[in-house]
Amino acid sequence: MKDDVTSREERIENLKGMGCSRKRVEDARFTQGKGNYVDDVKLDGMLFGDFVRSPYAHARIKNIETAAALEVPGVLAVLTAADLEPLGLHWMPTLAGDKQMVLADGKVLFQGQEVAFVVAEDRYAAADGIEAVEVEYEELEVLVDPFKALASDVVLREDTVDETGKPTDGAHGPRKHPNHIFTWEAGDKGPTFEVIDAAEVVAEETMYYHRTHPCPLETCGCVASMDKVNGKLTLWGTFQAPHAIRTIVSLISGLEEHNIRVISPDIGGGFGNKVGAYPGYVCSVVASIVTGKPVKWIEDRMDNLMTTAFARDYWMKGRISATKEGKITGLHCHVTADHGGFDACADPTKFPAGFMNICTGSYDIPTAFLEVDGVYTNKAPGGVSYRCSFRVTEAVYFIERMIEVLAIKLNMDAAELRRINFIRKEQFPYTAALGWEYDSGDYHTAWDKALKTVDYDGLRAEQAQRVEDFKAGKTRKLMGIGLSFFTEIVGAGPVKNCDILGLGMFDSCEIRIHPTGSAIARLGTISQGQGHATTFAQILASEIGLPADSITIEEGDTDTAPYGLGTYGSRSTPVAGAATAMAGRKIRAKAQMIAAYLLEVHDDDVEFDVDRFVVKGAPERFKTMKEIAFASYNQAIPGIEPGLEAVSYYDPPNMTYPFGAYVCVMDIDVDTGVTDIRRFYALDDCGTRINPMVIEGQVHGGLTEALAVALGQEIAYDDMGNVKTGTLMDFFLPTAWEVPNYETDFTVTPSPHHPIGAKGVGESPHVGGVPCFSNAVQDAFRAFGNTHTNMPHDHWRIWKTANELGLHG
Amino acid sequence: MIPAAFEYYRPKDMAGVLSILEEHGDDARVMAGGHSLIPMMKLRMADVPHLIDLQDVGGMSDVSIGSDSIRIGALVTQHDIIDNDALAAAAPILREAALQIADPQVRYMGTVGGNVANGDPGNDMPGLMQCLGATFTVVGADGERDIPARDFYEAAYMTAREDDEVLTAVTIPMPHGGYAYEKQKRKIGDYATAAAAAQIVKGGTTCASASIAMTNLSDTPVFSEAAGAALVGTSVDDAAIKAAIAAMLGDIDPTEDNRGPVAFKKHVAGVILRRAIERAWSRA
């Protein structure tokens, strides 16, 4: 037997378990064009649906004429709100406790809003049908500015006021104004204000974190197929949370949940855009029920950018106080959050501003106060977490800018200011002023390593010389050094405080070991490119001693996968990864009993060793997991059921808190606003590292999306509420050409409460990257009096900064 | 992104093309690479009931380099321009400019003829051809005629070509002297925030002749005769360049868009032109 001659090291290597840069098993099909995405689903007799969309941002609908559209060859039906109303489906609940029109019910609130759903035999007929639908609009005053919306007499949503015109209560408490959605507070207002008012030094800044969009390469879409014979609905779609979609479909349609099967096939990126429920899903289901045929709906790029969930759009006003020596004493943050026409954020229900209260960052800030006001405007709904845990990008950007602004006020080096305020290693677990308990961290070690690697002092000296040269007319390029140190909060989450519409945010894994020693594991999550089939198999390989190559990972089919809340907010590894480890340990516990029986010793006399159980003190006596698997099915063992299966539903005791230290070196052409990233160094601490290569890929991807957001990517509106950035010509998606080389590095501070100590990494680089790129731009102008300019730092805005600082002579 | 129904034609010769154009008038459009027209059709911004694909019409895919001129067929792609070493030796500005157009995939399809004929102010070739003093050959029912590139553009998407004419070739007088095509864009695939084409001939230590054209800074390409004239007879020193920039700024008329406001575009136009002149002069 091969095992007898294989060394322990070789046996570990053969498993390709945790710590191994195992090649991604998904890539064989993706690189050959053999992926199976929702638009690849083709069913007999399948119809296509598409939307008539509003050209106006705010208008009353006086009439919808569908007769001409129904005359278009191939058009079978045109659904309007009037058709959905008898079913109670003309509005649908949002994940944020609000409700959203499925089809325009009397008025439209944003450009691109869904007005009617044309069902046709093919996409061409549907598009012709859309052209033939005549909608009569009466334009209304448009509100695109949340501050103006809060001061306006124009009531955007008629359901926000009572008969007397008084604002009604919203899902999160009383409204201050008809266009006001909620106020959410964290921390202590009085003590914080007292500290700030009495402080030696206070820095204040207002910053706008602009509206942008996750823009996955694959847009949103679905295929709904109602089988009228057996009463079962199958729904394929680009769902980041297939089980949650099943439950929501059941709740709003009245179909029993066992009659609904939701399937997320391969997904081409989600980044938060595919968490929520969209009108296209509801209309496809209704159309399939009405016609008895499968109905497909797929967004085009403009639909995706203009209507499905955006991200950010936070106006953040901050005050930070410190001693003269730079010790931070207090922090106050007020956010005006623009949610668009409906509040369709995808946050845990008790957190209408997500985890914005992580905005004290990586610093030991004794007192803090956060208040967030949500506002309706005439923009698309959303507010999802684009490659970040809930609103964590906004929080980290806020604090990492406030630190820089404070450093300017103190005339201090921003790296040093961070160092003297970091939470110290011995303070963990650390309870922050806004309530979170940080699980583990070693910030000083990471920071020192980062600064040493990039030769921080050398960079500052070079920068000072550059400023001199610039002033002497020897160069027209400035040099910026961007710093950021971030702490994320991911892995939602403990069911005690995290649910979405009442669905607890646990996750799950179910393992079935086959008799010949291979396995299948199914999870409640769904990969959108993260490589779950690769990495979860590695966790299991280490836990159960079967090679990762012999373990199939399956996700996304609610008929087969155990219930879970899906993949977003870096929750897969912290929650489903933990469930996987725990289920693996149940397998191992049973395997131990079987091994003991086969080896004719007591259970306690065998111990696990890589891929086998050995008799303690007699390593030559062992049973491999492969042998145990076969015996579990085929040998009658007294007192033990046949088979080797386990399931675990894991409710994490706490979030995990990955962190990292990033440095960006950038040259800026003052005359054209063109930026050139000379160097980008990213140190990530995501706790235990499952697959270093996959981590590196995640870091590259997240940094690239961070570069996009910081340097140009936005959803911009004009005063009439027209989207100015509805195509990829104007919406910035970086290509290889715009992306620098990234240097990645790491430290390892395991999570003390996670079964394998892993924290999650997919979103860290985005969270830490955005402020790092932005800080580099801002730092380049610090010597000339700049304190803050808003993103995105595209050419003309950088030029404007230089111009306003008088650098164009 | 689904176009309205249209008839697709793929005639074998120009006579076939012209007869379809004659029959359908405004309702017909010819297509070379299709990289401007097809997106407009998919957005339903261009209504083209009769689409005539030129790919099977022979005789428009050649580059011929004569002793005093270069003739480029309308179906020659941007990639062909980049890939043609003899052309790059004769008129290196063509390769330098073509490399700054879109991305390789687009350049495999996008043609010189389509780029200059479409009349999109964002396209790079029109300004370049004005700089080089090129002539466009168009053919219609009444035969061929030549139109100077500097007289071709009337407004955005409006040109001197009649609806029933087809642009078949671009002829460039053999360029001399130093050259540069300088372009600022937000990203790969973007149109210019500002771009400048410069071709400068040196006589002794001074500038003997200079030709300058700007891209995407008006609703047409801008041939700035005054900018070129400001350099002639000078040693292309700072004062001369400043005068050229001032002259150019008098000729352009940019509008605000997502690339930035007018003041920014004018400033960048000046910076880009300075770089183009300096590079062209260094090569003259």
Side-chain angles (χ1 to χ4, degrees), chain A residues 752-797:
Chain A
H753 63 77
H754 187 279
I756 59 170
K759 288 186 168 186
V761 75
E763 300 168 329
S764 297
H766 191 68
V767 168
V770 175
C772 192
F773 287 111
S774 179
N775 281 344
V777 173
Q778 321 246 14
D779 180 69
F781 295 105
R782 178 174 169 175
F784 301 90
N786 173 63
T787 44
H788 175 80
T789 62
N790 287 327
M791 296 187 292
H793 305 296
D794 53 4
H795 296 168
W796 87 260
R797 288 181 175 97

Coordinates of all heavy atoms in Angstrom, one line a residue, chain A residues 752-797:
Chain A
P752 N -9.6 34.3 17.0 CA -9.7 33.4 18.1 C -11.0 32.6 18.1 O -11.0 31.6 18.8 CB -9.6 34.3 19.3 CG -10.0 35.7 18.8 CD -9.7 35.8 17.4
H753 N -12.0 33.1 17.5 CA -13.3 32.4 17.7 C -13.7 31.5 16.5 O -14.7 30.8 16.5 CB -14.4 33.4 18.0 CG -14.7 34.4 16.9 ND1 -15.4 34.1 15.8 CD2 -14.3 35.7 16.8 CE1 -15.5 35.2 15.0 NE2 -14.8 36.2 15.6
H754 N -13.0 31.7 15.4 CA -13.3 30.9 14.1 C -12.6 29.6 14.2 O -11.5 29.5 14.6 CB -12.8 31.7 12.9 CG -13.3 31.1 11.6 ND1 -12.6 30.1 11.0 CD2 -14.3 31.4 10.8 CE1 -13.3 29.8 9.9 NE2 -14.3 30.6 9.7
P755 N -13.3 28.5 13.8 CA -12.7 27.2 14.0 C -11.4 27.0 13.4 O -10.5 26.3 13.9 CB -13.8 26.2 13.3 CG -15.1 27.0 13.3 CD -14.7 28.4 13.3
I756 N -11.1 27.6 12.2 CA -9.8 27.5 11.7 C -9.0 28.8 11.7 O -7.9 29.0 11.1 CB -9.8 27.0 10.2 CG1 -10.7 27.9 9.3 CG2 -10.4 25.6 10.2 CD1 -10.6 27.6 7.8
G757 N -9.6 29.9 12.4 CA -8.9 31.1 12.5 C -8.9 32.0 11.3 O -8.2 33.1 11.3
A758 N -9.7 31.7 10.3 CA -9.8 32.5 9.1 C -10.7 33.7 9.2 O -11.7 33.6 9.9 CB -10.2 31.6 7.9
K759 N -10.4 34.8 8.5 CA -11.2 36.0 8.7 C -12.0 36.4 7.4 O -12.9 37.3 7.5 CB -10.3 37.1 9.2 CG -9.9 37.0 10.6 CD -9.1 38.2 11.1 CE -8.9 38.3 12.6 NZ -8.2 39.5 13.0
G760 N -11.5 36.0 6.3 CA -12.1 36.5 5.0 C -11.3 37.6 4.4 O -10.7 38.4 5.2
V761 N -11.2 37.6 3.1 CA -10.2 38.6 2.5 C -10.7 39.2 1.2 O -10.2 40.2 0.7 CB -8.9 37.9 2.2 CG1 -9.0 36.9 1.0 CG2 -7.7 38.8 2.0
G762 N -11.8 38.7 0.7 CA -12.2 39.2 -0.7 C -12.5 40.7 -0.8 O -12.3 41.2 -1.9
E763 N -12.9 41.3 0.3 CA -13.2 42.7 0.2 C -12.2 43.6 0.8 O -12.3 44.8 0.6 CB -14.6 42.8 0.9 CG -15.6 42.0 0.1 CD -17.0 41.8 0.8 OE1 -17.0 41.8 2.0 OE2 -18.0 41.7 0.1
S764 N -11.3 43.1 1.6 CA -10.3 43.9 2.3 C -9.6 44.9 1.3 O -9.5 46.1 1.6 CB -9.3 43.1 3.0 OG -9.9 42.3 4.0
P765 N -9.1 44.4 0.2 CA -8.3 45.2 -0.7 C -9.2 46.4 -1.2 O -8.6 47.5 -1.5 CB -7.9 44.3 -1.8 CG -8.8 43.1 -1.7 CD -9.2 43.0 -0.3
H766 N -10.4 46.2 -1.4 CA -11.3 47.3 -1.9 C -11.5 48.3 -0.8 O -11.3 49.5 -1.0 CB -12.6 46.8 -2.3 CG -13.4 47.8 -3.1 ND1 -13.1 48.2 -4.3 CD2 -14.6 48.4 -2.7 CE1 -14.0 49.1 -4.7 NE2 -14.9 49.3 -3.8
V767 N -11.8 47.8 0.4 CA -12.0 48.7 1.6 C -10.7 49.5 1.9 O -10.8 50.7 2.1 CB -12.4 47.8 2.8 CG1 -12.4 48.6 4.1 CG2 -13.8 47.2 2.6
G768 N -9.6 48.9 1.9 CA -8.4 49.6 2.2 C -7.8 50.3 1.0 O -7.1 51.3 1.2
G769 N -8.1 49.9 -0.2 CA -7.5 50.4 -1.4 C -8.1 51.8 -1.7 O -7.3 52.7 -2.1
V770 N -9.4 52.0 -1.6 CA -10.0 53.3 -2.0 C -9.3 54.4 -1.2 O -8.9 55.4 -1.9 CB -11.5 53.3 -1.8 CG1 -12.1 54.6 -2.2 CG2 -12.1 52.2 -2.8
P771 N -9.3 54.4 0.1 CA -8.6 55.5 0.8 C -7.2 55.7 0.5 O -6.6 56.8 0.5 CB -8.8 55.3 2.3 CG -9.3 53.8 2.4 CD -9.9 53.5 1.1
C772 N -6.5 54.5 0.2 CA -5.1 54.6 -0.1 C -4.8 55.3 -1.4 O -4.0 56.2 -1.5 CB -4.5 53.2 -0.2 SG -2.7 53.2 -0.2
F773 N -5.6 55.0 -2.5 CA -5.4 55.7 -3.7 C -5.8 57.2 -3.6 O -5.1 58.1 -4.0 CB -6.3 55.1 -4.8 CG -5.8 53.8 -5.4 CD1 -6.5 52.6 -5.1 CD2 -4.7 53.7 -6.2 CE1 -6.0 51.4 -5.6 CE2 -4.2 52.5 -6.7 CZ -4.9 51.3 -6.4
S774 N -6.9 57.4 -2.8 CA -7.4 58.8 -2.7 C -6.4 59.6 -1.8 O -6.0 60.7 -2.2 CB -8.7 58.8 -2.0 OG -9.2 60.1 -1.8
N775 N -5.8 59.0 -0.8 CA -4.9 59.7 0.0 C -3.6 60.0 -0.7 O -3.0 61.1 -0.5 CB -4.5 58.9 1.3 CG -5.6 58.9 2.4 OD1 -6.4 59.8 2.3 ND2 -5.6 58.0 3.3
A776 N -3.2 59.2 -1.7 CA -2.0 59.5 -2.5 C -2.3 60.8 -3.3 O -1.4 61.6 -3.4 CB -1.7 58.3 -3.4
V777 N -3.4 60.9 -3.9 CA -3.7 62.1 -4.7 C -3.7 63.3 -3.7 O -3.1 64.3 -4.0 CB -5.1 62.0 -5.4 CG1 -5.5 63.3 -6.0 CG2 -5.1 60.8 -6.4
Q778 N -4.4 63.2 -2.6 CA -4.5 64.3 -1.7 C -3.2 64.7 -1.1 O -2.9 65.9 -0.9 CB -5.5 64.0 -0.6 CG -6.7 63.2 -1.0 CD -8.0 63.9 -0.9 OE1 -8.0 65.1 -0.8 NE2 -9.1 63.1 -1.1
D779 N -2.4 63.7 -0.8 CA -1.1 63.9 -0.2 C -0.1 64.7 -1.2 O 0.7 65.5 -0.7 CB -0.4 62.6 0.2 CG 0.9 62.7 0.8 OD1 1.0 63.2 1.9 OD2 1.9 62.4 0.2
A780 N -0.3 64.4 -2.5 CA 0.6 65.1 -3.4 C 0.4 66.6 -3.3 O 1.4 67.4 -3.6 CB 0.3 64.6 -4.8
F781 N -0.8 67.1 -3.0 CA -1.1 68.5 -2.9 C -1.0 69.1 -1.5 O -1.3 70.2 -1.3 CB -2.4 68.8 -3.5 CG -2.5 68.5 -5.0 CD1 -3.2 67.4 -5.5 CD2 -1.9 69.4 -5.9 CE1 -3.3 67.1 -6.8 CE2 -2.0 69.1 -7.3 CZ -2.7 68.0 -7.7
R782 N -0.6 68.2 -0.5 CA -0.6 68.7 0.9 C 0.4 69.9 1.0 O 0.0 70.8 1.7 CB -0.2 67.5 1.8 CG -0.1 68.0 3.3 CD 0.1 66.8 4.2 NE 0.4 67.3 5.6 CZ 0.6 66.5 6.6 NH1 0.5 65.2 6.5 NH2 0.9 67.1 7.8
A783 N 1.5 69.8 0.4 CA 2.5 70.9 0.6 C 2.0 72.2 0.0 O 2.6 73.2 0.3 CB 3.8 70.4 -0.1
F784 N 1.0 72.2 -0.8 CA 0.5 73.4 -1.4 C -0.8 73.9 -0.8 O -1.5 74.7 -1.3 CB 0.3 73.2 -2.9 CG 1.6 72.8 -3.5 CD1 2.0 71.5 -3.7 CD2 2.5 73.8 -4.0 CE1 3.2 71.1 -4.2 CE2 3.7 73.5 -4.5 CZ 4.1 72.1 -4.7
G785 N -1.2 73.2 0.4 CA -2.4 73.7 1.1 C -3.6 72.9 1.0 O -4.7 73.3 1.5
N786 N -3.6 71.8 0.3 CA -4.8 71.0 0.2 C -5.1 70.2 1.4 O -4.1 69.6 2.0 CB -4.6 70.0 -1.0 CG -5.8 69.0 -1.1 OD1 -6.9 69.4 -1.3 ND2 -5.5 67.7 -0.8
T787 N -6.3 70.2 1.9 CA -6.7 69.3 3.0 C -7.6 68.2 2.5 O -7.4 67.0 2.8 CB -7.4 70.1 4.1 OG1 -8.4 70.9 3.5 CG2 -6.5 70.8 5.0
H788 N -8.6 68.5 1.6 CA -9.4 67.4 1.2 C -10.1 67.8 -0.2 O -10.5 69.0 -0.3 CB -10.5 67.1 2.2 CG -11.5 66.1 1.6 ND1 -11.2 64.7 1.7 CD2 -12.7 66.2 1.1 CE1 -12.3 64.1 1.1 NE2 -13.2 65.0 0.7
T789 N -10.1 66.9 -1.1 CA -11.0 67.0 -2.3 C -11.7 65.7 -2.5 O -11.2 64.7 -2.1 CB -10.1 67.3 -3.6 OG1 -9.3 66.2 -3.8 CG2 -9.3 68.5 -3.4
N790 N -12.9 65.8 -3.1 CA -13.7 64.6 -3.2 C -13.3 63.8 -4.4 O -12.8 64.3 -5.4 CB -15.2 65.1 -3.4 CG -15.8 65.6 -2.1 OD1 -15.4 65.1 -1.0 ND2 -16.7 66.5 -2.2
M791 N -13.5 62.5 -4.2 CA -13.4 61.5 -5.3 C -14.5 61.8 -6.3 O -15.5 62.4 -5.9 CB -13.4 60.1 -4.8 CG -12.3 59.7 -3.8 SD -12.4 58.0 -3.4 CE -13.9 57.9 -2.4
P792 N -14.5 61.2 -7.5 CA -13.4 60.4 -8.0 C -12.3 61.4 -8.5 O -12.6 62.4 -9.1 CB -14.0 59.6 -9.2 CG -15.2 60.4 -9.6 CD -15.7 61.1 -8.3
H793 N -11.1 60.9 -8.4 CA -9.9 61.8 -8.8 C -9.6 61.5 -10.3 O -8.6 60.9 -10.6 CB -8.7 61.5 -7.9 CG -9.0 61.6 -6.4 ND1 -9.3 62.8 -5.9 CD2 -9.0 60.7 -5.4 CE1 -9.5 62.7 -4.6 NE2 -9.3 61.4 -4.3
D794 N -10.5 61.9 -11.1 CA -10.3 61.8 -12.5 C -9.5 63.0 -13.0 O -9.1 63.9 -12.2 CB -11.6 61.6 -13.3 CG -12.6 62.7 -13.1 OD1 -12.3 63.6 -12.3 OD2 -13.7 62.6 -13.6
H795 N -9.1 63.0 -14.3 CA -8.1 64.0 -14.7 C -8.6 65.4 -14.4 O -7.9 66.3 -13.9 CB -7.9 63.9 -16.2 CG -7.2 62.6 -16.6 ND1 -7.1 62.1 -17.9 CD2 -6.7 61.6 -15.8 CE1 -6.5 60.9 -17.9 NE2 -6.2 60.6 -16.6
W796 N -9.9 65.7 -14.8 CA -10.3 67.1 -14.7 C -10.4 67.6 -13.2 O -10.1 68.7 -12.9 CB -11.5 67.4 -15.5 CG -12.8 67.2 -14.9 CD1 -13.6 66.1 -15.1 CD2 -13.6 68.1 -14.0 NE1 -14.8 66.2 -14.4 CE2 -14.8 67.4 -13.7 CE3 -13.3 69.3 -13.5 CZ2 -15.7 68.0 -12.9 CZ3 -14.2 69.9 -12.7 CH2 -15.4 69.3 -12.4
R797 N -10.8 66.6 -12.3 CA -10.9 67.1 -10.9 C -9.6 67.3 -10.3 O -9.4 68.2 -9.5 CB -11.7 66.0 -10.2 CG -13.3 66.0 -10.5 CD -14.0 65.0 -9.7 NE -15.4 65.0 -9.8 CZ -16.1 64.2 -10.7 NH1 -15.4 63.3 -11.4 NH2 -17.4 64.2 -10.7

